[in-house]
Each structure stands twice: as structure tokens, then as C-alpha cells.
Amino acid sequence: MLIHGRCAPGHSYMNPAERVMSVLNLGLQNCSLERREQMPEAEKNFKKCGSMAETRKFAIKNPEVKGQWAESIEPVQALVRNRFTRLKLSDTRIQAIDPVSDQSIDIMKRHLRELFPEMYTSKIPSYKEWIESHCRERHYTFQIKKCDNPDCCLPTKLDEEKLQWVPDPVLDQTGEHYEKYVTIKGRETTEADRPSLKPPVAVKGRKRTLNTDSASANKNTPDADSAPVNTNAPDADNTPTTACAQSHEVQDASLFTAQNARMSVECTECSKPRVIYSKQKLSERHNLTVVLALSEFEYTCGAPVLPLTSSLSKNVMCRNNIGCATHVEVPYYSSSIGRLDICANCGAQEAVVDAALKAKFKTVLPICDDCRNLGREPIVYRPYGKKV
């Protein structure tokens, strides 16, 4: 059985599970790092890339760059490895594991192609059947174990009790706390109680209701969780002030208006664009600071857009009371900082505004065909003839 799990993506400096980073930092004290200089042509190629993400993209079209870069940073890797392996955490020595080689990846791909000749598409029946009988995929875990079919897998050597799926978090009867692992071990669970699916909570300010003729229809959809929160109200004076999940600080609700929208960032989890706000217009230098930070960290809904150590972190920010279930904010569309054909429910492109609803409501957000087919209704605000 293989269980692969991950912590909250991006912003690892705030993740308690990764606070071993403070121990690793001890190994970098009084240490100066410099990569090995390459030939002028290679250095010229490196200077074309402003971040590691751009370097990787450049290497796809220019394969020779990958080898040149690996040779350039080899001394740095060796020095860091040597220092890290001299550290201990709870009397356990830190280990440095080599990355998977390209040859090992090719071998794995070859085995997969032999098992599934038409691999890399979920439409192949044999692939779908194998996934259903051997795997369990969740938002933060992916598990694989042998099936009970002797014609498919060899018999297991461990007891069945030791080969049970890792259960999902399950709320107790109070709905405020999660049940202990020992009480739900072996039970069939779902992701319905996943913490990141819980709607954000407004802690101050007047409550604003979502005006839609189909609010009840949205009740059973994933994106409906965000509707009662009302983080995207067009009128700033009615937008609730919220508590920051990471720093427990209260954000200024007057900041989240279309006039203060400066740019957008895409969540790596749900692919929805999120608005970056600032009361002052950003200079070229500040814009560059934000862009560089976004290239180094993977942004997820509700997380700070800049590291807390940044001088701009208190002035440039995204909403922190939103999650991946929250629809795209209204200021994103009214400020024209990105594509206007983005579906408010899922972030897909080529979405359209319902013309019939536009005649009834002042604000109608775009919706794509896929969301309509799933039974989701367009997000609307401020009906004509009614005072909100």
C-alpha cells in the first residue's frame, strides 16, 4: 500500500508541519552561496529568466539549458547537503534524499504504457476501472493498495486491518470538533467535512444577503458555501470586516473595492483569479516586488499574497476570509484587471453573462456551460426595483 499526502500548498513558512525549516536555517548560518559560472552563452540564457519558473519553461524549448543549470548549481547543492546532514531534529539526523532521475521517470512511464497502452486519458475504461479498484484520491492525499482480485494483484502480506484507507476528517455531532482517528478508522468517509471547504466566517459588520432567485438551488453545490459569507458585495460600505485566519488580524473592509484593485493572482488549487488590493497605486518597483513574490510562492485562496516579512504585506493584500469554494469577487470584473469571460463559479474561460438576468439584476457574474450543466446558477446582486 502506498499513501501520498501533502501539507497545505505554498506559504510553507506559515505551516506548523514544516517548522523544521527553522532547524535547517541553522545550517545556513554564516554561509555564503554562489553557483558556478558557466560559458558566456549559457550565462546569457540564464539572464533571460527572472525566476526558476521561467528557467524551467525556457529549458523545455532549450534542453541544453537543463544540463548547464544542473552543472552550475552542483557546488551549491553539495555544500547545502553537507551542512543539512550534520543537523539533528529530536536526536534524529537530517537526511538528504537525491531527486528522482530522468531515467527512473522514463522507466515508470514505460511500465505505465505497458499496463495501459492508451494512458494519460481518463476516458479509457481499463484505466478508470484500475483507478476505482486500487486508488482513493482526495484533495490532500492519494492512496494506492492491492485489490482482492488474484488475477490482478499478488496476495498481501499484511493483515487487512493494517491496509485500510486513511479516513477523511469527520465532524462530531456538535459540528465544532473533529472525531479522533481511532473512532473513524475503517469507516467509509467523504470529503464533506474537509476544513478548507468550511465557509469563511465574518466577525464584524452588517450582514449582507445574496440576492438571487435561485439561492435554494445553489444550496447543494460546492460554490454555495461562499454565498452566505458575502465576501464579494459590490458596495464597500456593506462589506463585512473579517478576521485573518493566519494572523488573526482584522482587515479593513473599505480596502476591497474596485478602485483599489491593482492586479490579480491565480489560486493554484481552484484556478480562480483573486484580486490584489492596495489603497495606493503601486509603483514599478512595488509591482516588481509583488510579481517576484508570486513567482516564488504558490498562492492559495485565503493566504497572504506576500510574506509577512515583506514591507508591503500590510498595504498589499488579498481577502483572507475566502476559500476555494468562494466565487470570483465582483471587483475583479468591475475593475477590468483581467479577462472578463472568467466563470465566477469555477474560473473557466469563455463564460458568458445571462442576458435575461441582466435585465433583472444590476450585477450578474459570468457562468460557463459546464457549471450550468452541473446545475449551478449564475451569481447575481442588487435586483432592480428593490433596495438592498
Side-chain angles (χ1 to χ4, degrees):
M1 185 176 185
L2 173 66
I3 302 175
H4 174 71
R6 65 186 177 100
C7 298
H11 301 280
S12 60
Y13 57 88
M14 295 183 300
N15 194 332
E18 296 186 15
R19 286 180 180 168
V20 67
M21 299 298 290
S22 59
V23 178
L24 298 179
N25 285 334
L26 295 176
L28 299 178
Q29 295 295 320
N30 303 317
C31 178
S32 178
L33 303 176
E34 182 180 13
R35 65 178 179 84
R36 180 186 297 155
E37 187 174 357
Q38 296 296 297
M39 299 296 292
E41 186 64 26
E43 290 295 330
K44 183 178 180 181
N45 291 331
F46 295 158
K47 291 180 180 180
K48 293 180 181 178
C49 307
S51 63
M52 281 304 305
E54 294 181 7
T55 304
R56 294 188 187 99
K57 292 180 180 180
F58 187 78
I60 295 176
K61 298 181 180 180
N62 304 271
E64 71 280 358
V65 173
K66 183 175 182 180
Q68 295 169 348
W69 180 257
E71 182 180 352
S72 177
I73 64 172
E74 191 277 331
V76 177
Q77 291 177 322
L79 177 60
V80 173
R81 172 190 288 266
N82 178 268
R83 283 178 164 264
F84 281 176
T85 53
R86 292 157 57 187
L87 299 173
K88 290 183 179 181
L89 177 63
S90 300
D91 293 330
T92 301
R93 190 172 293 279
I94 301 294
Q95 296 182 2
I97 303 175
D98 293 328
V100 179
S101 64
D102 292 339
Q103 182 180 3
S104 298
I105 296 176
D106 292 337
I107 292 175
M108 175 63 73
K109 289 182 178 179
R110 186 173 71 247
H111 289 321
L112 290 174
R113 283 194 293 266
E114 292 175 356
L115 184 59
F116 306 109
E118 299 181 4
M119 185 65 176
Y120 306 115
T121 172
S122 58
K123 297 181 180 180
I124 303 302
S126 60
Y127 173 68
K128 293 181 63 177
E129 293 173 1
W130 191 91
I131 290 292
E132 292 173 357
S133 59
H134 295 82
C135 305
R136 171 169 291 188
E137 183 178 4
R138 293 294 190 258
H139 195 68
Y140 292 113
T141 61
F142 184 78
Q143 308 173 65
I144 306 175
K145 74 174 183 178
K146 294 181 178 179
C147 66
D148 299 329
N149 184 2
D151 297 331
C152 178
C153 298
L154 296 174
T156 60
K157 298 180 180 180
L158 298 176
D159 297 335
E160 183 64 28
E161 184 180 355
K162 297 181 179 180
L163 294 175
Q164 296 178 348
W165 299 115
V166 174
D168 303 288
V170 177
L171 288 171
D172 59 16
Q173 294 181 350
T174 65
E176 298 293 333
H177 303 280
Y178 287 92
E179 295 190 26
K180 296 182 178 180
Y181 172 78
V182 294
T183 62
I184 60 175
K185 181 181 179 181
R187 286 166 48 182
E188 285 295 327
T189 59
T190 66
E191 284 196 293
D193 294 334
R194 194 179 82 208
S196 56
L197 287 179
K198 295 177 65 176
V201 179
V203 298
K204 189 184 294 184
R206 289 180 294 172
K207 183 177 179 181
R208 181 182 179 86
T209 57
L210 181 67
N211 297 295
T212 175
D213 291 337
S214 55
S216 59
N218 276 338
K219 191 175 298 183
N220 297 324
T221 63
D223 297 78
D225 293 340
S226 63
V229 184
N230 312 300
T231 60
N232 301 312
D235 298 329
D237 56 345
N238 288 331
T239 306
T241 306
T242 57
C244 176
Q246 287 78 16
S247 62
H248 302 287
E249 294 181 356
V250 177
Q251 289 183 311
D252 182 6
S254 64
L255 173 65
F256 306 120
T257 63
Q259 291 81 359
N260 295 329
R262 304 304 173 186
M263 62 178 71
S264 65
V265 56
E266 185 176 290
C267 172
T268 57
E269 292 291 297
C270 64
S271 299
K272 295 176 185 175
R274 299 304 183 189
V275 182
I276 298 177
Y277 299 93
S278 175
K279 287 192 174 181
Q280 288 80 31
K281 184 177 180 180
L282 300 180
S283 63
E284 292 185 5
R285 179 183 176 184
H286 290 164
N287 271 317
L288 181 61
T289 300
V290 176
V291 171
L292 289 177
L294 296 178
S295 67
E296 295 178 3
F297 299 102
E298 293 181 343
Y299 172 79
T300 53
C301 296
V305 70
L306 294 174
L308 301 181
T309 55
S310 173
S311 59
L312 298 177
S313 61
K314 294 184 178 180
N315 299 320
V316 180
M317 62 187 70
C318 292
R319 292 179 185 267
N320 55 35
N321 69 325
I322 59 176
C324 289
T326 310
H327 59 74
V328 180
E329 304 156 83
V330 172
Y332 172 81
Y333 300 99
S334 53
S335 61
S336 301
I337 58 176
R339 296 186 56 147
L340 300 181
D341 62 342
I342 296 295
C343 177
N345 289 297
C346 67
Q349 299 179 0
E350 299 182 358
V352 296
V353 175
D354 191 306
L357 288 176
K358 191 66 177 174
K360 300 179 180 179
F361 297 88
K362 297 178 182 179
T363 302
V364 181
L365 304 187
I367 186 170
C368 64
D369 293 336
D370 291 340
C371 287
R372 283 189 178 277
N373 295 335
L374 291 174
R376 298 173 182 172
E377 296 293 333
I379 305 296
V380 296
Y381 289 100
R382 304 184 302 169
Y384 285 108
K386 296 182 181 181
K387 184 177 180 180
V388 179

